[in-house]
Amino acid sequence: MKTENRFFPVLIAILFFSPSAFAQDADGAGATAITEDFSTETVGAPPQSFAPAVGNWLIGIDQGNKVLVVDGSKWRRGQTSAGLADKARALYGERYAEFLGNVKAYAYFPFAVFRRVDNFSNGTISMRFKSIAGRIDQGAGILFDLKPNGDYYALRANPLENNLVLWRFRHGKRSSVSWVRNVVTASRQWHDIALKVRGRHIEGYVNGKKYLEYELPAAVSGKTGIWTKADSVVFFDDYRVEH
């Protein structure tokens, strides 16, 4: 569906830092690369490297390798992730009520926020994904430009539809910005997805091939994360932000 979808008010906690497995290195002059491979996370527990906002997120195993799993088989419309209110209160203190009053998210679309990067405006975000199951959807996307009011963009691939779509989430509504067909990402196989950002200019890649190019109305500036939809069961690995 390319137009508005159902949404529900939920609470999200954005960026509360806790130790995790990050590999950080210089990536060219003035650039930094941060990679999360989940190798020091605890299997069966929620991730420490991401803040789950909507949906059920935990650390799993795929062929002996630790991965981040969104378990859409337990998804229920309108359900936020556990403990978000307490985390928001701990993060914002006296501004807790103000925060909750101004933030909206979308319970039809599970997502988790990357804790280490406070603000991403230029560079590359990439990750690997492996869609396992989902009757409604098997979407795997990069969330970016997440604002304090809950607005954001998501670049996502979908094995059920074989396409790549740039979605915009704004003021409680979802709309498609750019739509590319014939982008094949078979289920139960690992694929790469990457987003390159230079101010307002963005490019979308799947398995190393550029499929999408677009000029946004305003420059990117916000938090990043991982996005999916409804009952999707997807594995994620090697989440990397170069900026």
Side-chain angles (χ1 to χ4, degrees), residues 1 30 40 121 138-139 144 167 186 188 220:
M1 182 177 294
T40 63
S121 57
Q138 293 185 21
F144 66 104
W167 295 106
R188 297 184 175 273
V220 170

Side-chain angles (χ1 to χ4, degrees), residues 93-174:
E94 294 181 355
R95 295 184 58 191
Y96 169 71
E98 175 187 351
F99 174 74
L100 296 182
N102 292 328
V103 172
K104 287 186 177 181
Y106 306 78
Y108 196 76
F109 308 100
F111 69 91
V113 182
F114 193 41
R115 289 175 170 169
R116 186 64 182 270
V117 176
D118 185 37
N119 185 64
F120 173 85
S121 57
N122 288 281
T124 301
I125 306 170
S126 61
M127 67 180 181
R128 299 195 304 134
F129 71 91
K130 182 179 182 179
S131 296
I132 302 300
R135 295 183 62 187
I136 298 175
D137 212 274
Q138 293 185 21
I142 295 171
L143 179 148
F144 66 104
D145 202 35
L146 177 61
K147 304 298 189 184
N149 70 346
D151 291 351
Y152 64 87
Y153 287 92
L155 176 72
R156 79 99 176 96
N158 187 347
L160 294 184
E161 301 176 3
N162 286 324
N163 56 30
L164 182 68
V165 181
L166 175 64
W167 295 106
R168 186 183 191 185
F169 294 77
R170 186 170 184 266
H171 300 328
K173 297 181 180 180
R174 180 181 72 146

